[in-house]
Amino acid sequence: MNVSLNWLKNYVDINIDEEELAHKLTMAGVAVEGIEKVDTDHVLELDLTPNRGDCLGLINIAREISAITGSQLKIPDIKIKENHENINDYIDIEIADQNLCKRYAARLVKNVQIKPSPTWLQEALTNSGIRPVNNVVDVSNYVMLETNQPLHTFDYDLLGSKKILVRRALEQEEILTLDESKRKLDGDMLVITNGEKPVAVAGVMGGYNSEINDNTVNVLIESANFSATSVRKTSQKLGLRSDSSIRFEKGVDVNGTIFAVNRAAQLIQKLAEGEVVAGILDVYPQPITNHTIFLRAEKVNDLLGTNLSIGEMEEYLLSLDFKIEKEKNKLIVEIPTYRPDLEIEVDLIEEIARLHGYDNIAATLPEGVTTQGGLDDYQLFRKKTSTLLAKNMLEVINYSFINNNMLDKLLIPGDSHLRQVVKVANPLSEEQGVMRTLLLPSLLTNIAQNLARRNENLSFFELGSVFIPREGDLPTERLKLGAIVSGSSEVNWLKHKIDYDFFYLKGILENFLDGIGLKEYEFMTFSNPSYHPGRTAKLLIKDIEVGVLGEIHPTVLDNFDIKQAVCAFELDLDTLYELMEDKMGLETITKYPAVERDIAIVVHNDITAKQILNKIKKNGTEILQDVIVFDLYTGEQVPDEHKSLALKLKFQAFNKTLTENEVNQVVDNILNKLNELGAKLR
């Protein structure tokens, strides 16, 4: 933007030369790119940042100069002599789209004399990069540059009606603009009409058929506020960029319309001997008022590294012509609507910084506590979980959205808490209508889709979130681990297949639990409608249910169109993490040899292997290091409704070599205690 220094002096006393002024403006954040000498004037070339659209008006630039130099601001005093008529007898204004037009004001000046503008006005426009036309058009451009409020002047007699209707354009509607180009409009564009046809493209350019010409007698002055987004899009679509559109795009003060239209009426009355009709038409449906910002003195000095007093801060902001109330160590600052860039406290702190002078703020290195960074314990736990499962399975990532019908396919009862889902307000499709409460439906879908493509040997896991609704609040998000297998795997070195069955998946789960350092856990028979009855277990840790493991129910498989057996487990990882010990300890490796004993016992089918193991561990003393079940047998030589379990017991001491007699005593004690469960040595 080009600014005439002589013109600028009308609004503020400038007692320094142009070079010093340029330096002060630049240091205050209004960058001056260059200075050009034009006859007896100097033209400043400003490079404004996008947030300072207000400085496209000379009065606002004068405000900046007044603040940084302490000079008196001189805003023009408007005095208009009105006739005894009423503008309401001449024109009526209606805004059909208040979102795109926040305010529309107009004045009427009659019996004007169209002629060239005086020399001072032509020079002011020329030095600012605008070509003079005639006294009326030049006044509208002059006021626009002065106030940053674009104006448009219509030949009132060429409007064709006493109505101004601001509306969206009709599809394929046409207008002949001032540049004598016929332009097609669309429904996203805003136009000014005479009630029927467009006479201007709002905020961009006027119409050719109602422009001011040498025969104009009566002038209607428009001063309005249009949506910045609408003007920008319209300007781009039409390939038409004007001084008016540039200003509307950056934002124009909605409360500056009346000052601008009065200023234009004043100058037209003076320069064109016009007669101003009494009254202003002002349609302003939703008035916008100044907002306030609370400024804490402590926050200012903390951010800037300064030691300014609250009085100094107040003085800087008063120099910008802001209204201020002081409250203890805080300022309540009223922000005028011509400064839309000031929204929050830090914006005011920046104003204080630039007026105080960036050179006056010491350069210091940032201070604070530094941390090494890296993953926290929970993040490491998640990473380790993925690493352990990835040894045997492929990781899948599914959407957190599912179809609510998935819960029907899983045979979830109607009163189950899993039916309490978070509904998506605007789902992409019906298949993504709710947030999932468990991972199983997504994993079964993965299996079904792969089987449909003849991929039959499948082993997947997913680490993902489920969502539980909370009334009046955001849903609770829980991290879960799900795994699913189906088919079998070829093991070349064993030269046989390994079936992906319940025990295979149970082994993967036990390896995972061992990998994260969990030794004490328990599997118990369990009933779950989505899993096969009699082939399902729940995982307990410290008597807390952590997850479920089992073979998927045949009906569920049919619902997902799966024709082969599938096994899955699903764990609540957040609960699992909370139950883990804080630290994993180190244990010395003993140098003394271990002693192993195998025993086979016969028990009733109602007695679980877990009961047997618990009894053995409880009575094995400190030398019993481990016990595992390595065989299950039913058939000949075993009574009906009984089973034979073969167990391996490992004994070892850390301070000596065990004798056979010591081991035998412990084994005999274990066998005696097993008798309490009805177990007999086979």
Side-chain angles (χ1 to χ4, degrees):
M1 176 184 175
N2 292 336
V3 177
S4 162
L5 196 56
N6 287 344
W7 188 1
L8 198 56
K9 290 177 180 178
N10 293 330
Y11 314 110
V12 62
D13 293 326
I14 301 175
N15 299 318
I16 54 178
D17 62 29
E18 60 277 1
E19 294 287 347
E20 187 177 353
L21 176 63
H23 175 72
K24 285 184 176 293
L25 281 171
T26 300
M27 293 306 296
V30 183
V32 179
E33 290 291 295
I35 304 173
E36 182 181 357
K37 178 74 166 63
V38 180
D39 297 330
T40 59
D41 195 6
H42 287 87
V43 176
L44 305 181
E45 183 182 344
L46 303 186
D47 183 18
L48 301 175
T49 53
N51 66 318
R52 291 307 306 269
D54 61 298
C55 286
L56 289 171
L58 268 74
I59 290 177
N60 288 331
I61 295 174
R63 281 193 172 96
E64 293 294 312
I65 295 173
S66 172
I68 61 179
T69 64
S71 302
Q72 182 66 36
L73 180 66
K74 298 180 292 184
I75 295 177
D77 184 25
I78 298 176
K79 294 180 181 179
I80 299 173
K81 182 180 180 181
E82 298 178 337
N83 66 15
H84 298 292
E85 296 178 289
N86 191 323
I87 192 172
N88 291 289
D89 297 331
Y90 286 90
I91 199 75
D92 178 55
I93 297 173
E94 179 184 349
I95 301 176
D97 195 318
Q98 297 177 9
N99 291 325
L100 301 187
C101 179
K102 297 176 183 175
R103 190 176 192 179
Y104 195 101
R107 293 210 71 152
L108 181 64
V109 185
K110 295 174 59 180
N111 303 320
V112 300
Q113 297 182 25
I114 304 299
K115 57 186 176 182
S117 298
T119 302
W120 64 266
L121 178 53
Q122 293 192 41
E123 287 182 352
L125 294 179
T126 301
N127 291 345
S128 298
I130 293 181
R131 177 179 60 87
V133 178
N134 57 53
N135 52 354
V136 171
V137 174
D138 291 352
V139 163
S140 67
N141 286 328
Y142 181 90
V143 175
M144 175 187 69
L145 293 174
E146 183 180 54
T147 65
N148 192 40
Q149 171 64 55
L151 303 174
H152 186 68
T153 49
F154 296 100
D155 185 317
Y156 173 79
D157 300 303
L158 295 179
L159 280 177
S161 78
K162 293 184 177 182
K163 175 82 172 179
I164 289 290
L165 173 63
V166 185
R167 62 166 171 83
R168 288 178 183 265
L170 306 176
E171 292 294 335
Q172 299 300 309
E173 193 169 22
E174 293 184 343
I175 183 174
L176 185 67
T177 49
L178 285 174
D179 57 358
E180 299 186 51
S181 296
K182 185 174 288 187
R183 302 181 186 277
K184 286 189 176 182
L185 310 174
D186 63 40
D188 291 330
M189 300 177 182
L190 191 70
V191 291
I192 313 302
T193 73
N194 63 359
E196 295 181 2
K197 61 182 181 179
V199 293
V201 181
V204 180
M205 186 172 283
Y208 179 77
N209 294 328
S210 59
E211 73 170 333
I212 303 298
N213 58 70
D214 292 342
N215 299 317
T216 296
V217 176
N218 302 314
V219 175
L220 184 71
I221 310 169
E222 167 201 284
S223 179
N225 189 276
F226 303 118
S227 162
T229 302
S230 174
V231 172
R232 183 180 68 253
K233 290 182 177 180
T234 300
S235 177
Q236 289 175 343
K237 286 181 180 179
L238 297 179
L240 188 59
R241 193 166 174 83
S242 63
D243 290 301
S244 174
S245 68
I246 289 171
R247 284 165 170 79
F248 278 121
E249 287 174 23
K250 292 182 181 296
V252 171
D253 180 17
V254 68
N255 291 321
T257 55
I258 300 303
F259 178 87
V261 75
N262 282 335
R263 176 67 165 157
Q266 176 194 34
L267 291 174
I268 291 175
Q269 184 177 59
K270 177 181 178 181
L271 301 180
E273 292 85 40
E275 180 184 342
V276 179
V277 175
I280 304 172
L281 280 177
D282 181 21
V283 181
Y284 194 7
Q286 297 178 347
I288 298 173
T289 58
N290 296 341
H291 71 281
T292 57
I293 297 177
F294 290 84
L295 181 69
R296 296 164 293 173
E298 181 182 358
K299 186 69 172 178
V300 175
N301 288 323
D302 183 49
L303 283 183
L304 300 182
T306 54
N307 192 28
L308 297 172
S309 68
I310 192 169
E312 290 174 302
M313 298 174 193
E314 183 180 18
E315 186 178 340
Y316 285 134
L317 296 176
L318 285 173
S319 70
L320 290 170
D321 206 21
F322 295 165
K323 294 180 180 178
I324 300 173
E325 291 182 18
K326 188 183 294 186
E327 185 179 292
K328 293 183 179 180
N329 208 33
K330 180 170 61 177
L331 299 177
I332 304 172
V333 185
E334 182 178 327
I335 308 300
T337 51
Y338 61 77
R339 287 298 304 272
D341 58 308
L342 303 181
E343 298 179 347
I344 56 179
E345 184 181 33
V346 291
D347 295 329
L348 284 181
I349 294 175
E350 183 179 1
E351 293 296 290
I352 291 172
R354 68 188 187 87
L355 292 176
H356 179 64
Y358 296 123
D359 289 346
N360 297 323
I361 299 175
T364 57
L365 292 174
E367 295 181 2
V369 178
T370 59
T371 58
Q372 186 175 355
L375 303 179
D376 60 26
D377 290 342
Y378 183 71
Q379 292 169 326
L380 289 170
F381 171 68
R382 290 187 56 163
K383 184 177 181 181
K384 189 169 187 177
T385 297
S386 295
T387 302
L388 289 171
L389 270 296
K391 292 178 180 179
N392 301 291
M393 316 182 87
L394 296 175
E395 184 173 8
V396 295
I397 300 174
N398 291 299
Y399 287 113
S400 297
F401 315 103
I402 62 170
N403 190 323
N404 203 29
N405 293 335
M406 289 283 192
L407 302 178
D408 297 329
K409 292 183 177 182
L410 291 175
L411 309 180
I412 303 294
D415 59 353
S416 171
H417 70 279
L418 296 174
R419 290 274 187 181
Q420 304 302 314
V421 297
V422 178
K423 294 183 180 179
V424 180
N426 187 22
L428 296 175
S429 70
E430 186 179 351
E431 296 302 312
Q432 297 180 330
V434 299
M435 306 293 285
R436 63 187 179 184
T437 54
L438 70 171
L439 304 182
L440 186 58
S442 302
L443 292 171
L444 284 170
T445 302
N446 297 146
I447 294 291
Q449 290 174 340
N450 275 275
L451 291 176
R453 291 161 177 78
R454 300 183 182 278
N455 298 321
E456 298 177 348
N457 301 315
L458 308 167
S459 179
F460 303 138
F461 79 94
E462 179 177 8
L463 197 64
S465 294
V466 299
F467 301 86
I468 295 91
R470 285 190 295 175
E471 187 174 351
D473 202 349
L474 293 175
T476 300
E477 185 175 346
R478 301 288 297 178
L479 181 66
K480 287 206 170 188
L481 170 65
I484 196 163
V485 295
S486 183
S488 60
S489 175
E490 290 278 358
V491 181
N492 293 331
W493 63 275
L494 288 176
K495 297 183 179 179
H496 71 85
K497 286 185 178 180
I498 295 179
D499 291 329
Y500 287 160
D501 57 9
F502 176 90
F503 295 103
Y504 173 80
L505 190 59
K506 181 172 179 281
I508 288 178
L509 177 52
E510 288 177 327
N511 285 337
F512 163 67
L513 295 174
D514 184 65
I516 61 174
L518 271 173
K519 303 296 183 182
E520 298 297 328
Y521 56 85
E522 183 179 1
F523 290 102
M524 291 188 64
T525 55
F526 182 58
S527 176
N528 185 301
S530 302
Y531 292 83
H532 197 297
R535 302 179 189 177
T536 306
K538 61 182 176 181
L539 175 64
L540 296 176
I541 299 174
K542 299 179 182 178
D543 295 325
I544 296 175
E545 184 180 332
V546 176
V548 59
L549 163 70
E551 185 176 318
I552 302 301
H553 197 289
T555 304
V556 174
L557 296 181
D558 288 341
N559 291 340
F560 281 87
D561 197 24
I562 297 173
K563 306 300 183 185
Q564 63 187 44
V566 175
C567 293
F569 72 71
E570 187 163 341
L571 309 180
D572 188 322
L573 270 193
D574 285 337
T575 301
L576 188 62
Y577 176 74
E578 292 164 5
L579 292 172
M580 288 177 60
E581 297 294 336
D582 293 337
K583 295 181 180 179
M584 293 181 63
L586 298 178
E587 206 172 70
T588 304
I589 299 175
T590 179
K591 62 183 179 179
Y592 301 102
V595 178
E596 292 183 352
R597 292 290 174 86
D598 294 345
I599 61 173
I601 58 174
V602 177
V603 294
H604 195 275
N605 286 339
D606 291 338
I607 303 300
T608 65
K610 187 64 179 177
Q611 289 175 284
I612 299 294
L613 293 175
N614 287 343
K615 184 69 75 171
I616 292 173
K617 290 177 180 178
K618 186 177 180 180
N619 297 281
T621 72
E622 70 276 0
I623 67 171
L624 178 64
Q625 300 301 317
D626 195 14
V627 56
I628 62 171
V629 179
F630 66 87
D631 187 43
L632 168 66
Y633 174 72
T634 57
E636 294 182 10
Q637 302 177 356
V638 175
D640 292 341
E641 297 184 359
H642 285 68
K643 58 190 173 186
S644 173
L645 293 175
L647 304 106
K648 184 181 292 295
L649 285 68
K650 178 182 176 182
F651 300 93
Q652 194 172 29
F654 287 87
N655 56 355
K656 66 178 181 177
T657 300
L658 293 173
T659 66
E660 188 163 337
N661 185 50
E662 288 174 315
V663 174
N664 288 341
Q665 286 181 3
V666 177
V667 172
D668 290 342
N669 183 55
I670 289 172
L671 292 174
N672 288 333
K673 294 298 182 181
L674 289 176
N675 287 335
E676 297 174 3
L677 298 175
K680 295 181 180 180
L681 191 63
R682 183 179 168 195

